[in-house]
Amino acid sequence: MVYISRKSPIYVLCLWICLFWTFHMNRIRLHGRMGGLLSLSIMFWGSSMLWQFTPLISNMAQPSLSLHTPLPTSFTSDVPYHGDWSILSKPGTMNIEKALEEGKLVEVVSAVRETLKSSSSAPVSIAVTGDSGNGMSSFINALRGIGHEEKDSAPTGVVRTTQIPTHYSLSHIPNVELWDLPGTGATTKSLEMYAEEMQFTTYDFFIIIASEQFSTNLAKLAKIIQGQGKRFYIVWTKLDRDLSTRVVSEKQLLQNIQENIRVTLQKEGVCEPIIFLVSSFDPLLHDFPQLRDTLHREVSNIRKHNLLKNLFDTCEKVINDKAITLQRQIGSESFQDKLGIQNADDLGKFLNPYHLLFGVDDVSLQEVAQSTGKPMKQYKDIMKSQDMHTVLTEDRTLLWLNCNTVYYLNLLLSLIPVFGNTSTHYLRVWNQGRLFDIVAEDTKTIVKKILTDAISEE
C-alpha cells in the first residue's frame, strides 16, 4: 500500500478531483433545495480540508531540504554565522558569508584561500590514554624528546603518577597539546563514565598506550573512541623489556604482539588502527621515528578536516538562511517580476534565475573553474539541476506533477470557481519551491567541493 501524506500536493490534487466529481454527481442526481444543500455542504467540507494545506506553504512537508521553516521576525541578513574563531579567522569567514549571500562563488574561492593562510596552524589536542602503569608519561617525555629529570617533563614512577589530565607541548609540531590522562585503572567507574569524565569529545586524536598485554579493557576503550568518530593509534611501549625476555625470534615476537592487538580489537568490532611498537627509553629505534613522521601528517590532516567542517557548517547555514528568506517570496508576483518570469506555469523558466540567485549559473561556474584550475564539467556533473531533464529525472514527484495527465487535470480543476484557482496556485508554488530547494542543495554541494579542493591543495 502506498501512503500519501495529507500535506502532499498529490493528496490535494486527488482531493479536488473527488470534490469535483461529487459536486457534479449531486447536481445531476439531486434536484431542488436538498440537492443544493448537499452539494454546498460537500464543497464547504472540501474547502475546510484544503485550507489546512494552502495558506502556509512554509509548513509543507518537503521531500528533502527543510527550507520552508518560517523565519523569526527578528531575522536580518546581517546575522553573523561564524563560530569557532580558534579555527577560523574572523575577517576571512565574514568575506565567505558575504560572497555567499550575494551569490558570488568565485569570491568564495578567494576568501577560502585567505582563511586557509591564517588557519594552517590551528590548535590540535591529542589525548594519551591507556591502563595505569603502561608508561604513558614516559612515552610523552620520549615523544617530546626530553628526559624524565628535566623541569617540564611528565612525572613518572612505579606507582600511578598522573592524577588529573595534564597538557604538554610538542616542540617539533607547533600548536599541538599532548594531554596525559589518568589511566583507566585509576578508577572503578565504567569506561563510559571514564570517557565522559576525561571529556573525550574535546580531543581531536587519541594515542592508546599498551604494554605486556593488550587487554579487553583497552579494546573497549578503542571502541568508545571509534564510536565518537575519532581516530587513534595503538602504541606498544616497553618493547625493550619484551625483547630482553623473549624466547622466540625478534621478528616472531613483533608479529605476535601485533596479531594479539588485532585479534582483541576485532572481538570488540573495532576497525584495525595503525600500530607502533616502541621503547620509550630508545626513541630513535624501532617504530618511534615512523611514529613521529606519521603523527606530523596526522596533525596536518586533522587541521584540514576541522577546517573543512567548520567552513562548511558556516557556509551551509548562510545558504539555508538565504534560501528560507527567498522561499517565503515564491508565488508572489513581485518575486516573479524580479526574476523576469512572464509565465509562472512554465517551471523551466525558473531554473536559470534560481541558478543566478545562488551563483551556480554557467557563467559563474566558469569563473569558479578558472579560479580553481578545475574543469567546469566537474562542477556541472555534481548538480541535480543542470537542466530540467536532469531535474525531472532525479525527482519523481516533480516529474509526476509536470506530466501531461496532471496538466489536464489541473485544467479541469480550474473550472471550479475560487477553489480551483486556489488548488492550481498551490501546485504551482509547490513546484517552484521544490525546484528552488534542489538548486539550493546543489549550491551546498558545489561549495563543499570548492572547500575540499582548496584545502587538499594546501
Side-chain angles (χ1 to χ4, degrees):
M1 179 181 292
V2 178
Y3 173 76
I4 299 176
S5 169
R6 294 179 65 188
K7 293 183 179 181
S8 165
I10 300 176
Y11 174 84
V12 177
L13 185 61
C14 294
L15 175 64
W16 268 114
I17 293 172
C18 294
L19 288 172
F20 183 79
W21 177 262
T22 306
F23 176 72
H24 283 281
M25 288 301 293
N26 274 297
R27 282 182 44 174
I28 294 172
R29 293 180 181 178
L30 300 175
H31 301 281
R33 181 178 301 174
M34 185 61 68
L37 287 174
L38 181 58
S39 298
L40 184 61
S41 298
I42 292 171
M43 291 304 296
F44 180 78
W45 169 81
S47 64
S48 65
M49 292 291 290
L50 187 61
W51 279 112
Q52 298 180 38
F53 318 114
T54 53
L56 296 176
I57 300 304
S58 60
N59 292 326
M60 295 191 306
Q62 294 296 335
S64 59
L65 288 177
S66 299
L67 297 177
H68 295 282
T69 307
L71 286 172
T73 55
S74 59
F75 174 83
T76 69
S77 60
D78 297 325
V79 174
Y81 303 99
H82 38 266
D84 189 353
W85 295 125
S86 64
I87 295 177
L88 304 179
S89 69
K90 186 173 181 178
T93 310
M94 293 182 69
N95 288 337
I96 293 173
E97 293 171 10
K98 184 174 182 294
L100 286 172
E101 289 169 354
E102 295 175 355
K104 300 177 180 178
L105 292 195
V106 68
E107 293 184 11
V108 172
V109 177
S110 303
V112 166
R113 286 173 177 162
E114 289 300 316
T115 303
L116 286 174
K117 292 178 182 178
S118 58
S119 306
S120 57
S121 59
V124 174
S125 297
I126 300 175
V128 180
T129 184
D131 290 333
S132 298
N134 278 347
M136 292 179 286
S137 298
S138 296
F139 167 76
I140 287 177
N141 289 335
L143 185 60
R144 297 175 64 211
I146 63 175
H148 301 309
E149 305 301 326
E150 295 188 35
K151 181 180 179 181
D152 195 32
S153 64
T156 60
V158 178
V159 297
R160 177 167 56 92
T161 54
T162 303
Q163 307 289 335
I164 60 173
T166 308
H167 68 88
Y168 303 92
S169 61
L170 269 180
S171 59
H172 62 287
I173 310 180
N175 243 6
V176 171
E177 287 186 340
L178 276 179
W179 284 86
D180 188 3
L181 305 185
T184 58
T187 175
T188 57
K189 297 177 181 178
S190 67
L191 287 175
E192 288 75 13
M193 293 185 67
Y194 170 81
E196 184 176 348
E197 185 178 321
M198 295 298 116
Q199 300 181 339
F200 271 25
T201 55
T202 63
Y203 301 110
D204 299 302
F205 188 74
F206 291 82
I207 296 176
I208 299 177
I209 303 297
S211 65
E212 298 181 14
Q213 68 170 351
F214 191 80
S215 64
T216 304
N217 207 42
L218 291 180
K220 291 179 178 178
L221 190 64
K223 188 173 184 178
I224 292 174
I225 296 170
Q226 179 180 280
Q228 294 182 353
K230 305 291 182 71
R231 283 175 51 80
F232 60 93
Y233 295 159
I234 302 292
V235 177
W236 182 275
T237 60
K238 303 182 181 179
L239 185 59
D240 53 310
R241 178 189 300 178
D242 299 319
L243 290 173
S244 64
T245 59
R246 63 186 169 87
V247 293
V248 296
S249 67
E250 179 177 339
K251 181 179 179 181
Q252 186 62 51
L253 174 66
L254 300 181
Q255 289 178 350
N256 291 345
I257 294 173
Q258 294 204 14
E259 184 62 21
N260 172 257
I261 294 174
R262 292 192 184 97
V263 170
T264 307
L265 288 172
Q266 286 174 1
K267 289 179 180 178
E268 292 296 327
V270 179
C271 298
E272 182 179 332
I274 301 177
I275 301 172
F276 298 97
L277 309 182
V278 306
S279 168
S280 296
F281 295 103
D282 296 304
L284 298 179
L285 301 178
H286 311 299
D287 290 341
F288 225 122
Q290 181 186 353
L291 168 60
R292 289 177 183 274
D293 294 340
T294 307
L295 187 60
H296 198 287
R297 292 193 296 271
E298 190 74 49
V299 168
S300 177
N301 290 336
I302 289 171
R303 284 179 172 142
K304 290 178 180 179
H305 175 270
N306 289 348
L307 182 60
L308 175 61
K309 182 181 183 303
N310 279 271
L311 279 173
F312 184 69
D313 286 349
T314 298
C315 292
E316 185 176 43
K317 181 168 177 56
V318 176
I319 294 169
N320 279 346
D321 286 351
K322 175 180 178 177
I324 292 171
T325 304
L326 294 174
Q327 184 72 268
R328 294 169 60 131
Q329 303 175 39
I330 290 178
S332 67
E333 291 185 6
S334 60
F335 188 62
Q336 292 173 16
D337 292 342
K338 178 181 176 181
L339 299 180
I341 304 296
Q342 302 298 325
N343 182 7
D345 290 316
D346 188 349
L347 189 61
K349 297 293 185 181
F350 285 84
L351 187 57
N352 192 56
Y354 284 172
H355 282 164
L356 287 167
L357 282 175
F358 287 97
V360 293
D361 56 287
D362 286 351
V363 174
S364 297
L365 290 181
Q366 185 60 48
E367 291 176 349
V368 170
Q370 290 175 352
S371 180
T372 60
K374 304 287 183 181
M376 178 183 168
K377 188 175 184 298
Q378 288 189 9
Y379 299 103
K380 293 287 289 186
D381 286 348
I382 59 177
M383 294 177 64
K384 294 182 179 180
S385 64
Q386 299 177 31
D387 49 48
M388 282 308 298
H389 174 74
T390 308
V391 170
L392 297 178
T393 301
E394 295 285 341
D395 195 296
R396 292 184 177 274
T397 305
L398 271 180
L399 176 63
W400 191 87
L401 288 175
N402 287 275
C403 67
N404 289 333
T405 304
V406 175
Y407 172 76
Y408 289 116
L409 286 174
N410 211 16
L411 286 179
L412 182 65
L413 291 176
S414 65
L415 298 176
I416 305 176
V418 182
F419 302 107
N421 291 334
T422 303
S423 175
T424 301
H425 176 76
Y426 172 87
L427 293 173
R428 182 190 300 127
V429 171
W430 195 94
N431 278 333
Q432 295 171 11
R434 179 66 192 128
L435 180 62
F436 186 89
D437 287 353
I438 295 172
V439 174
E441 186 67 22
D442 277 346
T443 306
K444 295 181 195 175
T445 304
I446 291 172
V447 167
K448 189 166 188 177
K449 176 172 174 54
I450 290 173
L451 296 176
T452 304
D453 290 346
I455 290 174
S456 63
E457 290 172 0
E458 288 295 309

